[in-house]
Amino acid sequence: MGQEACVMRKPWDLAFTAEPTEVAGLRRVMRLHLGIWGLHGVADEAQLCVSELVSNVITHVGPGTPATLAVSMNGVHLRIEVHDPDTRALPTLLDVNVDSEGGRGMALVDAVAERWGVELGPDRKVTWCELATGLASPDGHVEGRGVRRAEALLDFYAGVEPPLLRPGGGMLKRAVAEESVISAITDFLHWLHVHGCDVDNALDRAQIRYDGELGS
C-alpha cells in the first residue's frame, strides 16, 4: 500500500466555456476537490456559488465566453473566483422578491457567502466569494480538545521521547498508562482527519511498521 502524504490545499483553476451544459461538470469538480481537501461541510454552498457565478457570466456576458474557475484558501475561508474577459458587465446585488424572475444569482451568493466582490483588471473581471469553512486556523486545524492535545504532543515528541511506562510501575499504573496511550492515538487520528489524511491508510501503515519493527 502506497504511503500517501497529507493533502495540501493548493490553489487550482480550470478553464471552461460559459455554457449551461458546463455548470453540472464544474459543480462535480468542485465537490470532488472539496472532498480531497476535507471540506465536505461547505460543498453544497460552494456548488451553489459556482452555479450562480457561472450563470451570471452566461446571462450577462454571453454564452460561449471563455472563462476560468479558480479556487483557493484565503486564511480559513474558501475562496471561489470566476474570471471572464468582460470588464463592463458587473454583477450587482438586487433587492429581489419571490416573484422576481431575475437578479437572484448574486442574492443567493450573498446569502451563503461571508463576503463577495468584483475585481477589475485591464482585460478581465474576477467575481469572487468566500465561504466560512469552520477551520480555526489557516493551516487547517479544527478547534477541539483532541486536536489541541495532539498538537501539544507533536511539539513534545519533537524534542524528547521519554518512556511512557517504566519497569516496576504496578498493574494500576500500567492500566492508567495504557489508557493514556489509547487517548494519544485517538488524538492523532483526529489530527490526521482534520488535515485531510486517509485515517485508515495511516493505521494500516502504522500496523505494517509496527509488525516490521517487532519482527526485527
Side-chain angles (χ1 to χ4, degrees), residues 5-9 34-41 73 75-76 133-151 154 185-200 202:
C6 296
V7 176
M8 300 298 292
R9 298 184 180 95
L34 292 184
I36 294 172
W37 282 5
L39 297 178
H40 305 276
M73 295 297 297
V76 297
T133 61
L135 299 177
S137 64
D139 52 6
H141 300 196
V142 174
E143 191 65 28
R145 290 185 301 169
V147 176
R148 290 195 299 269
R149 289 198 301 266
E151 293 293 341
L154 286 171
I185 293 171
T186 303
D187 289 342
F188 278 110
L189 294 179
H190 282 297
W191 187 92
L192 289 167
H193 173 73
V194 302
H195 282 77
C197 301
D198 185 331
V199 172
D200 291 333

Side-chain angles (χ1 to χ4, degrees), residues 25-105:
L26 293 170
R27 287 170 56 90
R28 287 194 296 270
V29 170
M30 172 61 77
R31 182 171 287 275
L32 175 63
H33 274 84
L34 292 184
I36 294 172
W37 282 5
L39 297 178
H40 305 276
V42 295
D44 290 342
E45 292 85 351
Q47 285 187 307
L48 184 150
C49 289
V50 167
S51 295
E52 299 305 330
L53 294 180
V54 173
S55 296
N56 192 72
V57 176
I58 297 171
T59 301
H60 298 289
V61 182
T65 299
T68 301
L69 171 65
V71 181
S72 60
M73 295 297 297
N74 182 18
V76 297
H77 288 81
L78 176 71
R79 183 178 177 91
I80 302 170
E81 301 177 354
V82 171
H83 302 208
D84 71 74
D86 193 329
T87 58
R88 298 167 300 172
L90 302 181
T92 56
L93 180 61
L94 302 180
D95 184 13
V96 298
N97 55 52
V98 293
D99 297 322
S100 300
E101 295 183 359
R104 293 184 180 178

